[in-house]
């Protein structure tokens, strides 16, 4: 029997219509377009304004986009993995609801949470299911409604995050394409530097926690930036060395879209030319679990069968890593 590898065979995405630009943010907090752009590379971000819609809506729309583009019957999906840091509810699985709503009633589903590394970790998990030989179609969705946990009076965080979703389908491959190697890491030293302080079992929700605004994301920006630059770059460099790849062998870098300076530092460590570094951070900001699949969707037409792609991400916790993947198809 030929060796099974796990390849991405389809992509889809969804972003809300409402655009929150830097100019609009200037009217909300003490900031300006030049400051935001020079420090983050972000020009605008999308916001899901509907109060009765959560992360599941974003995920459903991205999944439907993939299914329609690839002409796939949702009944064929074996497993749906929902990568998200902003589930609809604390207990009821968002992924389970998404699977039912898109008609994937033969799939089992669950949520995976590793902050901004959620989708990267999800790629590893999806690939393992495929490589086991037990599953043929695994739908991995990365979606976050970050606006639901952002304090729009906090200029250190509200300029960064946006809402969106992306999806990829993993299927078996017998040509040696798909996921080749991974280097995934985590370190609990980061627990206090990027978090939502209340609402979990450690600090349950009370009138006081709501009054004190402890249910929105906070971060020590300088510390997170330092760890992100070092670890994303280290992981990407290591995956190259471990697989005897040079910068010439890499066709594309698909990095987490948190800050352009972090992306630039990672590309510099890999000695990659700018044309190989894929970025859409200026349009969407940091959509957390959705950044990697949104990049794949936006630049899908550039990818050729056999292309070498390096993924890299860093998230709260801390969580980080890099994945080496060979692209499996030419866009029709």
């Amino acid at each position: 029997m030929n060796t099974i590898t796990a390849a991405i065979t389809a992509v889809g995405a969804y972003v809300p219509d409402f655009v929150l630009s830097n100019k609009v943010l200037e009217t909300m907090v003490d900031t300006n377009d030049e400051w935001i752009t020079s420090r983050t590379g972000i020009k605008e971000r999308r916001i899901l304004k509907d109060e009765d819609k959560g992360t599941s809506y974003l995920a459903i729309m991205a999944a439907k986009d993939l299914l329609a583009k690839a002409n796939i019957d949702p009944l064929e999906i074996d497993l749906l993995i929902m990568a998200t840091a902003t589930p609809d509810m604390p207990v009821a699985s968002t992924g389970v609801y998404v699977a039912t709503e898109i008609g994937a009633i033969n799939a089992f589903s669950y949520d995976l949470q590793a902050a901004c590394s959620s989708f990267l970790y999800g790629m590893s998990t999806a690939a393992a299911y495929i490589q086991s030989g037990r599953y043929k179609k695994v739908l991995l969705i990365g979606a976050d409604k970050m606006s639901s946990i952002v304090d729009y009076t906090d200029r250190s965080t509200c300029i960064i995050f946006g809402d969106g979703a992306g999806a990829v389908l993993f299927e078996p491959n017998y040509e040696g394409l798909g996921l080749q190697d991974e280097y995934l890491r985590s370190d609990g030293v980061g627990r206090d530097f990027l978090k939502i302080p209340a609402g979990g079992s450690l600090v349950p929700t009370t009138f006081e926690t709501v009054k004190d605004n402890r249910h929105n994301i906070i971060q020590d920006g300088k510390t997170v930036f330092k760890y992100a630059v070092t670890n994303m770059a280290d992981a990407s460099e290591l995956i190259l060395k471990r697989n005897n790849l040079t910068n010439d062998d890499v066709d594309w870098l698909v990095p987490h879209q948190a800050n352009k300076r972090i992306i630039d530092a990672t590309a510099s460590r890999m000695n990659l030319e700018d044309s190989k570094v894929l970025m859409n951070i200026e349009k969407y900001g940091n959509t957390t679990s959705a950044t990697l699949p949104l990049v794949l969707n936006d630049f899908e037409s550039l990818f050729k069968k056999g292309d070498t792609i390096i993924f890299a991400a860093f998230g709260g916790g801390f969580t980080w890593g890099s994945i080496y993947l060979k692209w499996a198809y030419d866009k029709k």
Side-chain angles (χ1 to χ4, degrees), residues 238-282:
L238 184 145
I239 208 85
L240 294 185
K241 289 182 176 179
R242 197 159 76 181
N243 291 277
N244 298 313
L245 298 172
T246 69
N247 60 317
D248 291 331
D249 297 318
V250 177
D251 294 296
W252 310 104
L253 172 65
V254 176
H256 173 52
Q257 310 283 304
N259 185 301
K260 186 178 183 297
R261 292 185 294 167
I262 297 173
I263 297 171
D264 289 343
T266 301
S268 177
R269 179 76 69 83
M270 298 171 68
N271 197 27
L272 287 182
E273 54 197 75
D274 291 346
S275 61
K276 294 183 175 183
V277 183
L278 302 182
M279 283 189 279
N280 55 15
I281 188 173
E282 72 281 354

Side-chain angles (χ1 to χ4, degrees), residues 13-326:
Y14 175 77
V15 291
D17 293 332
F18 182 83
V19 176
L20 178 59
S21 67
N22 291 348
K23 289 296 184 183
V24 174
L25 278 174
E26 289 179 2
T27 68
M28 299 167 61
V29 290
D30 183 16
T31 191
N32 61 73
D33 174 65
E34 190 281 328
W35 191 93
I36 297 172
T37 304
S38 64
R39 284 163 177 79
T40 69
I42 301 169
K43 281 290 188 181
E44 56 190 38
R45 62 291 291 148
R46 300 299 184 93
I47 304 296
L48 181 59
K49 298 291 283 186
D50 309 59
E51 294 183 0
D52 62 340
K53 292 183 173 66
T55 294
S56 62
Y57 175 78
L58 301 169
I60 290 166
M61 296 299 287
K64 287 183 175 180
D65 180 54
L66 181 150
L67 295 171
K69 284 163 56 177
N71 192 28
I72 292 170
D73 185 344
L75 295 176
E76 298 176 11
I77 304 298
D78 300 311
L79 163 63
L80 187 151
I81 301 173
M82 181 73 202
T84 185
T86 56
D88 284 3
M89 302 176 190
V91 176
S93 170
T94 301
V96 170
Y97 176 70
V98 171
T100 298
E101 289 298 298
I102 66 171
I105 58 175
N106 293 321
F108 75 100
S109 180
Y110 59 83
D111 296 355
L112 188 158
Q113 206 280 76
C116 291
S117 300
S118 296
F119 191 85
L120 191 78
Y121 281 23
M123 290 177 66
S124 170
T125 308
Y129 278 110
I130 292 293
Q131 290 162 359
S132 75
R134 294 182 180 180
Y135 304 95
K136 303 299 184 185
K137 285 183 169 61
V138 178
L139 182 60
L140 171 62
I141 305 173
D144 273 303
K145 185 182 177 180
M146 293 303 293
S147 62
S148 67
I149 57 171
V150 167
D151 177 1
Y152 284 94
T153 67
D154 176 9
R155 67 175 183 174
S156 67
T157 56
C158 73
I159 65 170
I160 299 171
F161 296 102
D163 302 338
V168 302
L169 183 70
F170 275 92
E171 294 186 274
N173 184 275
Y174 300 94
E175 302 175 273
L177 303 174
L179 198 148
Q180 305 294 309
D181 195 14
E182 61 184 47
Y183 178 74
L184 304 178
R185 306 295 295 168
S186 60
D187 188 342
V189 70
R191 179 179 171 99
D192 289 329
F193 298 119
L194 179 56
K195 64 181 181 180
I196 296 175
S201 61
L202 185 64
V203 183
T205 303
T206 65
F207 287 111
E208 287 71 24
T209 62
V210 173
K211 178 172 64 68
D212 295 339
N213 198 26
R214 302 184 68 194
H215 294 268
N216 289 318
I217 194 167
I218 60 171
Q219 70 169 344
D220 178 341
K222 290 183 179 179
T223 301
V224 173
F225 180 84
K226 180 182 71 173
Y227 274 92
V229 166
T230 300
N231 288 312
M232 260 183 68
D234 285 351
S236 302
E237 184 180 38
L238 184 145
I239 208 85
L240 294 185
K241 289 182 176 179
R242 197 159 76 181
N243 291 277
N244 298 313
L245 298 172
T246 69
N247 60 317
D248 291 331
D249 297 318
V250 177
D251 294 296
W252 310 104
L253 172 65
V254 176
H256 173 52
Q257 310 283 304
N259 185 301
K260 186 178 183 297
R261 292 185 294 167
I262 297 173
I263 297 171
D264 289 343
T266 301
S268 177
R269 179 76 69 83
M270 298 171 68
N271 197 27
L272 287 182
E273 54 197 75
D274 291 346
S275 61
K276 294 183 175 183
V277 183
L278 302 182
M279 283 189 279
N280 55 15
I281 188 173
E282 72 281 354
K283 296 192 297 181
Y284 307 132
N286 182 356
T287 54
T288 306
S289 306
T291 65
L292 297 182
L294 280 175
V295 170
L296 291 180
N297 186 78
D298 280 4
F299 295 98
E300 183 188 16
S301 62
L302 297 180
F303 303 147
K304 304 301 180 187
K305 185 176 180 178
D307 277 1
T308 291
I309 303 178
I310 302 298
F311 295 79
F314 181 88
F318 290 128
T319 60
W320 72 93
S322 183
I323 282 178
Y324 161 33
L325 178 139
K326 296 193 79 66

